[in-house]
Amino acid sequence: EQDPQEVPGGLEAVNTFFQVAIGWIFKLASLYGLDLEHQPERMWEKVVQAEYDDRRFAELGDRLSLLAWTNKSQVADLVGCPFFRPQEELIRDFVSAWTQSQQEAQQRWHHAQALQAESSLEAPASGEVEEESPPTEETWNLFSCLCRELLDPTENAPEETPLDATFGHEPAYSSELEATAKLSQNKGQQAPTIVKGSSFTKMNRHKGDQDLASTKASSTEEDTGALQVVIGSSAASASSSSSSFRAWNSAEEVDIVGHERQVVVSEIPMRPEGIFRLDLRVLSGVEAEAAHLCEMGLCSEPALGVHFGPGQAGAGRPPLEGERQGGEPFFRFCSVPDILLEGVRLSIQVDFDKGEINFRNIPQVEGYSVPNTPLRNWLKERRRMVILRQRPQGELECPLFKHQAEHLHEMIDAGTLSGDLARAVLADVGVSVARERLSVAAVESTEEYHFYIVIPAGIEVEVF
């Protein structure tokens, strides 16, 4: 084999090519139905079709099979590859098949050694190199490279064992990922509610929306056929499950970049309490001209639709009376572009109790991490809007009412108003609203929130 240092670009180019190659192995399995299990048979079929002679046939058939890989580090890199991972159970099945194949190879090697001893063949002369022994059983355990967080906990998974040092890197999963997957079992922590892809549907445009669509001379109607959606597993996909959601915006933008954006939203309402988790990945289109307009976030009242206005940062709606900056009905996850990688699963976990959002790739990718995003200020502003919308319009607009509210509180501060009357004033929601002291006001009803995803033209996403 050629020395990697003699290849143009050197060892770095070889490693980069290998990483791209193993990513494509998973991509073919995940998106095109070319699963790992039947890869050896497909390679043999191609060799037969090429009509090689018997010697070349046997050589190529063996070398092209994934089960024939003997470099333990390369197999570990494949099993731990974060790009376009098919279902974890399928990767686990491949590990089992590869392990069995190596065991059979070892048995054949020992059998050949026994036959050689029985035939009393002479030992190799000095300077001759014996055939390399197959890997020992201790180095065969690749189950440590699996991302256990993604394995179905109801199935019997192999016992956890440390990754053999000969693989040269750490396992693809970490204690942090395992802890998240087992929150219900660790120290009584609350397990997150999973928002499944099958709960997503298309969000309509806001009624009366005077956005970019109004400037398109050819038509003012939405191209509803541009969003192609597949819910559940398909024959061509080894990554989909019955709860998955795949959407591709096939529109072509001729006049205005971003005009053909489509929005999908989860129908699962989330009250601002507890933990909710959404897992997704971008399958294709990162090179599209409008790719930078892809966004994810939280929104309220999705039935009211979505608005894209000139100069607007992302999805939104025309502001309501009293709505302040930072309290819009759409909360955009601004950290997502810094961690979103094509083909890599992104987990978004919203902790309403802590008032923060966590983003992480599964498996983790070195060099790609972002701090948690604070959510408390947005929730506070949304709470304020809920209160304002519940109060009589007179309390919000009457200058005399606001003046009297301020006067009563000044009397309380001066000590001239006390007792039950003072407590009644302090507990009055209308007075608190008039004085913009909403932190002490009781909310009569709680607003519900939903995950949303903006899919620009050319982008394809999968929600698990």
Side-chain angles (χ1 to χ4, degrees):
E1 296 181 359
Q2 187 175 5
D3 186 347
Q5 298 296 343
E6 299 177 359
V7 176
L11 184 59
E12 182 179 355
V14 173
N15 290 335
T16 300
F17 176 82
F18 174 73
Q19 294 300 325
V20 173
I22 62 177
W24 265 100
I25 291 174
F26 274 176
K27 188 172 185 177
L28 291 173
S30 295
L31 306 184
Y32 300 97
L34 301 178
D35 56 45
L36 301 177
E37 179 183 1
H38 297 96
Q39 186 269 350
E41 290 88 341
R42 292 196 301 272
M43 293 300 100
W44 279 98
E45 290 175 1
K46 293 299 181 182
V47 171
V48 171
Q49 293 173 6
E51 297 182 352
Y52 285 103
D53 58 52
D54 291 345
R55 183 181 60 82
R56 291 277 297 179
F57 171 84
E59 179 184 350
L60 286 176
D62 287 337
R63 293 185 61 186
L64 294 177
S65 170
L66 291 177
L67 300 181
W69 286 17
T70 58
N71 187 312
K72 299 178 292 294
S73 179
Q74 290 183 348
V75 178
D77 284 340
L78 172 63
V79 175
C81 177
F83 297 95
F84 297 100
R85 293 181 74 84
Q87 291 185 33
E88 207 68 17
E89 290 76 14
L90 299 180
I91 304 177
R92 184 192 61 196
D93 293 344
F94 164 74
V95 172
S96 299
W98 185 88
T99 301
Q100 181 179 357
S101 175
Q102 296 301 301
Q103 289 173 343
E104 293 173 352
Q106 187 185 51
Q107 292 171 1
R108 290 193 299 270
W109 184 86
H110 285 303
H111 181 66
Q113 293 293 311
L115 291 178
Q116 182 178 1
E118 290 177 1
S119 60
S120 301
L121 296 177
E122 294 183 0
S126 178
E128 294 185 7
V129 180
E130 293 188 31
E131 181 182 355
E132 183 182 356
S133 173
T136 59
E137 188 172 353
E138 298 88 274
T139 65
W140 283 348
N141 199 326
L142 291 175
F143 292 108
S144 311
C145 297
L146 294 171
C147 186
R148 292 180 174 273
E149 182 178 5
L150 302 181
L151 284 172
D152 186 347
T154 62
E155 295 191 11
N156 295 324
E159 292 296 327
E160 180 177 348
T161 56
L163 182 64
D164 189 88
T166 57
F167 292 137
H169 59 75
E170 294 297 323
Y173 70 94
S174 69
S175 58
E176 178 187 354
L177 300 184
E178 289 184 5
T180 303
K182 301 176 181 178
L183 280 174
S184 59
Q185 303 175 9
N186 293 341
K187 300 180 181 179
Q189 292 179 321
Q190 181 182 3
T193 299
I194 305 299
V195 178
K196 296 183 178 181
S198 56
S199 69
F200 275 77
T201 186
K202 185 177 180 294
M203 185 188 295
N204 296 321
R205 292 294 177 95
H206 179 68
K207 292 183 178 180
D209 188 5
Q210 299 298 320
D211 63 356
L212 296 178
S214 64
T215 66
K216 187 175 181 181
S218 59
S219 175
T220 58
E221 297 182 359
E222 287 188 64
D223 183 7
T224 56
L227 192 66
Q228 302 182 24
V229 174
V230 175
I231 298 179
S233 58
S234 63
S237 175
S239 65
S240 301
S241 64
S242 59
S243 61
S244 68
F245 171 93
R246 287 178 61 179
W248 175 44
N249 189 341
S250 60
E252 296 183 2
E253 295 178 329
V254 180
D255 302 322
I256 303 173
V257 175
H259 169 264
E260 299 293 347
R261 280 175 287 185
Q262 302 283 352
V263 182
V264 295
V265 61
S266 171
E267 295 181 324
I268 296 179
M270 301 181 292
R271 298 178 68 85
E273 56 187 24
I275 305 173
F276 294 84
R277 172 172 166 173
L278 175 71
D279 283 25
L280 72 157
R281 64 180 171 186
V282 173
L283 297 178
S284 63
V286 293
E287 74 287 346
E289 188 174 8
H292 64 285
L293 298 175
C294 181
E295 69 173 273
M296 299 104 188
L298 300 175
C299 71
S300 65
E301 300 179 287
L304 297 180
V306 61
H307 167 88
F308 293 105
Q312 190 172 307
R317 280 196 291 267
L320 299 176
E321 184 177 355
E323 190 174 278
R324 300 187 301 202
Q325 186 174 4
E328 298 86 352
F330 285 77
F331 181 82
R332 183 181 183 185
F333 299 154
C334 296
S335 299
V336 164
D338 297 328
I339 194 173
L340 188 64
L341 297 170
E342 184 179 45
V344 179
R345 186 173 184 139
L346 174 64
S347 176
I348 302 173
Q349 189 159 285
V350 179
D351 190 331
F352 285 107
D353 298 331
K354 291 184 177 180
E356 62 183 20
I357 308 170
N358 174 264
F359 307 92
R360 58 192 176 88
N361 289 319
I362 305 178
Q364 292 175 326
V365 180
E366 184 178 356
Y368 288 87
S369 62
V370 293
N372 290 352
T373 297
L375 188 62
R376 291 190 183 278
N377 289 339
W378 183 73
L379 292 176
K380 181 179 178 180
E381 285 296 319
R382 294 308 305 169
R383 181 170 173 265
R384 171 182 172 274
M385 283 302 300
V386 170
I387 297 173
L388 290 179
R389 293 168 66 177
Q390 291 175 347
R391 304 310 302 171
Q393 196 67 21
E395 290 185 359
L396 303 177
E397 299 178 352
C398 179
L400 180 60
F401 181 81
K402 294 182 178 181
H403 175 75
Q404 290 295 330
E406 289 291 347
H407 178 64
L408 290 173
H409 273 268
E410 290 174 359
M411 294 176 61
I412 293 174
D413 294 339
T416 56
L417 182 62
S418 60
D420 293 341
L421 183 57
R423 285 189 289 272
V425 172
L426 294 174
D428 189 279
V429 176
V431 173
S432 297
V433 170
R435 299 184 66 247
E436 289 291 333
R437 300 293 193 272
L438 302 183
S439 60
V440 298
V443 182
E444 298 173 10
S445 65
T446 305
E447 191 173 46
E448 295 176 336
Y449 305 110
H450 301 255
F451 282 112
Y452 77 90
I453 305 172
V454 176
I455 308 177
I459 291 290
E460 182 180 8
V461 299
E462 179 179 19
V463 185
F464 297 95

